[in-house]
Amino acid sequence: MSQIAFPTPDPAILARADAIRTALRALLPRECVVTDEAGRRAFETDALTAYRRLPLAVILPRTTEEVATALRFCREQGVNIVPRGAGTSLAGGAVPQEDAIVIGLSKMNRVLEINYADRYARVEAGVTNLAISEAVGEKGFFYAPDPSSQLACTIGGNIAMNSGGAHCLKYGVTSNNLMGVRLVMFDGDILDLGGPALDADGLDFLGLVCGGEGQLGIVTEAYVRILPLAEGARPVLFGFDSAEDASRCVAAVIGAGIVPVAMEYMDRLAIEITENFAHAGYPLDVEAMLIIESEGSAPEIEAEQKRILDIARAHNVRVVKESMSAMESAQIWKGRKSAFGATGRIADYICMDGTVPTGQLPEALRRVAKICADEGLRVANVFHAGDGNMHPLILYNMNDPAEQEKAERAGARVLEMSVELGGCLTGEHGVGVEKRDLMSKQYTPQELAQQKSVRAVFDPDGRFNPAKVFPLTGRAA
Ligand SMILES: Cc1cc2nc3c(=O)[nH]c(=O)nc-3n(C[C@H](O)[C@H](O)[C@H](O)COP(=O)(O)OP(=O)(O)OC[C@H]3O[C@@H](n4cnc5c(N)ncnc54)[C@H](O)[C@@H]3O)c2cc1C
């Protein structure tokens, strides 16, 4: 049985469901409104597929004004709202409820402006992450945060979750690369926060919205920083006979003040599953592997990789495999970025993203192994090691309620452990419904109350993404 509770839908809204859907169809163009059951089913879950709820209706606006119209309507009707990008959230951030209307930004997918001189792009919220780098790649630029889901996930979802990715070790996560947003508020008012200049005056509202998990309003446009591509880049694979050696090596590289552009960790099971699918050339006879990428001019890459190799040798590295061509490098990254998808082919999984200081990685990996062994579940570790951002993929069978309970319990214990070791519940996937009830492990009641009061300034009726991020209270709990 799932431990994650969803509040009972508001019976008054359910009683008016047909009338609400009819009113919506009259209000917005036909292609923007999905009310039939089959159409709504497509929006009943996200990448945390264990949880499903059929939404009341779905609105797919094409403009900021249509978003504003939709939000005014929801307010008048007293209906909850679930903003949605591509639905790749691993934390259940985009899972709807039966009394909520999903507002999906997928039709707002245009790159509106590219300014190379001032190094920004202005895009609609439904543009995919990868589409930004593709739009500016020809001129030698890119958008740095690169979630492994970048082919599908949208910049609006990235902003809401403050997403990261393999190359965020050097370039920072979404908040470090976001310059401004257009935000539609609960009452349909439109707010511009930040913009093409580096910083805006006044309180840092942009900082709140980035990571606001869709609870403060709907982002319809964003200004993002674009950066010149490095002169060159080369990943190297380092294979170790123990998790201990590999994770100590990570801590030692970071401790030496080296900042490679990416430093990813994969354990034996993750390597095996991924290699079977992607044929990336990973070594199959090691317990753990690091992919460490350096970039810059050829001498810069050589110098950094020599320092890293010395550290790896001091940590008993057994296999060292340099990428010898752009094609090999692409293959190495294709493998890493398809690791979750490859895992999904063999089992259901939940992916935790608790984060620990890099010095705690050896202890954290030991504890993850023990927790999963206690529950009798397999685990594959594949994560952004340089940031200490762990991703144990806990394998289970979704159709077996007892296994689901075990997987949720193991996941919760892993996240509690991250906090105990001086880290936090989420490095990049957000809280959503998945970690909602664990927030009290990280924050005191006073801290949670402060966060909720800030949220209430943006959303006084509490209608955006209810029952997420904050532990449930009262009857719903
Ligand atoms: C295979 C796979 C790999 C992944 N790898 C990574 C990774 O490396 N790094 C990482 O950080 N994440 C990763 N993720 C998680 C996920 O892709 C990110 O959280 C992503 O940012 C979600 O974007 P989305 O467009 O799919 O948003 P959705 O899943 O649709 O929504 C996510 C949240 O954002 C809110 N939201 C969406 N759009 C808006 C908007 N316009 N305005 C306001 N709120 C909005 C939603 O309400 C929800 O709370 C991965 C997921 C998968 C399935």
Side-chain angles (χ1 to χ4, degrees):
M1 266 288 286
S2 170
Q3 302 298 296
I4 294 183
F6 283 80
T8 314
D10 182 345
I13 296 292
L14 295 188
R16 289 194 289 118
D18 282 337
I20 291 171
R21 289 194 272 262
T22 306
L24 255 186
R25 285 193 295 265
L27 182 74
L28 287 161
R30 175 195 277 261
E31 64 268 33
C32 297
V33 183
V34 181
T35 52
D36 64 299
E37 188 182 326
R40 287 183 283 137
R41 280 260 168 247
F43 297 86
E44 69 179 354
T45 189
D46 57 12
L48 189 66
T49 45
Y51 312 105
R52 287 161 198 270
R53 294 287 181 282
L54 190 63
L56 190 74
V58 179
I59 305 178
L60 302 172
R62 298 159 307 179
T63 62
T64 297
E65 287 65 34
E66 284 177 356
V67 174
T69 303
L71 290 185
R72 272 186 228 109
F73 174 85
C74 290
R75 187 165 193 228
E76 276 159 28
Q77 300 284 335
V79 176
N80 292 328
I81 302 139
V82 177
R84 185 179 176 105
T88 66
S89 172
L90 289 165
V95 175
Q97 286 161 216
E98 292 93 331
D99 58 4
I101 293 182
V102 169
I103 302 191
L105 280 292
S106 56
K107 285 186 196 273
M108 294 186 64
N109 58 1
R110 290 176 306 155
V111 174
L112 300 170
E113 181 192 353
I114 299 173
N115 188 321
Y116 292 106
D118 292 338
R119 305 221 165 145
Y120 69 80
R122 183 164 70 93
V123 300
E124 288 184 324
V127 158
T128 64
N129 172 292
L130 189 61
I132 304 176
S133 286
E134 283 174 349
V136 300
E138 220 175 86
K139 291 258 165 58
F141 284 78
F142 75 115
Y143 174 62
D146 60 338
S148 303
S149 52
Q150 65 187 150
L151 195 64
C153 68
T154 67
I155 193 71
N158 292 178
I159 293 167
M161 294 316 213
N162 193 14
S163 298
H167 291 81
C168 291
L169 179 57
K170 176 170 174 188
Y171 292 108
V173 293
T174 304
S175 56
N176 306 108
N177 293 275
L178 181 69
M179 301 166 77
V181 294
R182 177 159 286 182
L183 183 76
V184 188
M185 309 283 290
F186 71 103
D187 54 2
D189 274 4
I190 296 166
L191 218 63
D192 283 321
L193 305 173
L198 208 52
D199 200 0
D201 299 335
L203 290 177
D204 184 12
F205 285 161
L206 183 61
L208 281 177
V209 171
C210 189
E213 302 214 12
Q215 291 195 319
L216 307 183
I218 296 194
V219 172
T220 59
E221 286 182 22
Y223 284 92
V224 296
R225 193 187 307 285
I226 53 170
L227 299 170
L229 284 161
E231 201 177 313
R234 190 197 307 148
V236 181
L237 306 181
F238 296 91
F240 299 82
D241 288 325
S242 76
E244 183 84 16
D245 281 338
S247 53
R248 285 196 187 287
C249 178
V250 172
V253 170
I254 297 296
I258 304 170
V259 187
V261 64
M263 180 152 46
E264 299 288 298
Y265 180 107
M266 292 173 83
D267 69 10
R268 182 185 273 272
L269 182 57
I271 295 169
E272 190 185 299
I273 292 170
T274 308
E275 188 59 19
N276 279 341
F277 171 70
H279 311 295
Y282 296 163
L284 287 165
D285 61 342
V286 297
E287 283 307 316
M289 175 185 83
L290 300 176
I291 307 172
I292 307 186
E293 182 163 90
S294 302
E295 67 173 24
S297 62
E300 281 168 340
I301 293 175
E302 289 300 325
E304 186 172 281
Q305 288 190 341
K306 178 171 181 325
R307 289 182 71 197
I308 294 171
L309 185 59
D310 288 345
I311 294 173
R313 284 198 179 120
H315 289 83
N316 310 316
V317 68
R318 183 164 58 76
V319 176
V320 179
K321 192 174 165 200
E322 276 180 34
S323 160
M324 303 307 284
S325 67
M327 209 168 82
E328 254 184 66
S329 302
Q331 202 59 19
I332 287 171
W333 283 116
K334 185 178 157 226
R336 168 59 187 90
K337 295 203 172 194
S338 60
F340 286 17
T343 307
R345 293 193 328 154
I346 65 154
D348 300 314
Y349 67 82
I350 50 171
C351 169
M352 298 295 136
D353 73 315
T355 298
V356 297
T358 43
Q360 295 285 4
L361 279 175
E363 173 64 12
L365 283 165
R366 265 195 302 274
R367 291 212 211 168
V368 166
K370 167 143 187 4
I371 290 168
C372 293
D374 286 351
E375 298 292 352
L377 297 172
R378 289 201 300 164
V379 60
N381 288 286
V382 44
F383 62 96
H384 310 313
D387 293 319
N389 184 194
M390 301 185 71
H391 287 1
L393 304 182
I394 301 173
L395 311 191
Y396 75 109
N397 174 3
M398 197 190 288
N399 296 316
D400 177 344
E403 276 221 347
Q404 177 162 356
E405 195 176 327
K406 282 187 196 176
E408 286 179 357
R409 195 166 47 228
R413 286 177 64 192
V414 164
L415 295 177
E416 285 179 40
M417 168 213 76
S418 308
V419 177
E420 268 168 42
L421 293 181
C424 58
L425 296 173
T426 169
E428 57 179 13
H429 296 167
V431 179
V433 288
E434 182 197 45
K435 307 178 185 95
R436 176 193 69 195
D437 300 322
L438 293 167
M439 285 286 272
S440 51
K441 304 283 177 195
Q442 188 173 339
Y443 297 105
T444 63
Q446 291 80 358
E447 286 164 346
L448 285 172
Q450 286 293 352
Q451 291 190 31
K452 279 182 177 175
S453 62
V454 171
R455 180 196 167 188
V457 172
F458 284 80
D459 180 18
D461 304 334
R463 298 232 173 269
F464 280 115
N465 255 342
K468 291 179 187 157
V469 182
F470 299 106
L472 294 187
T473 50
R475 273 188 57 227

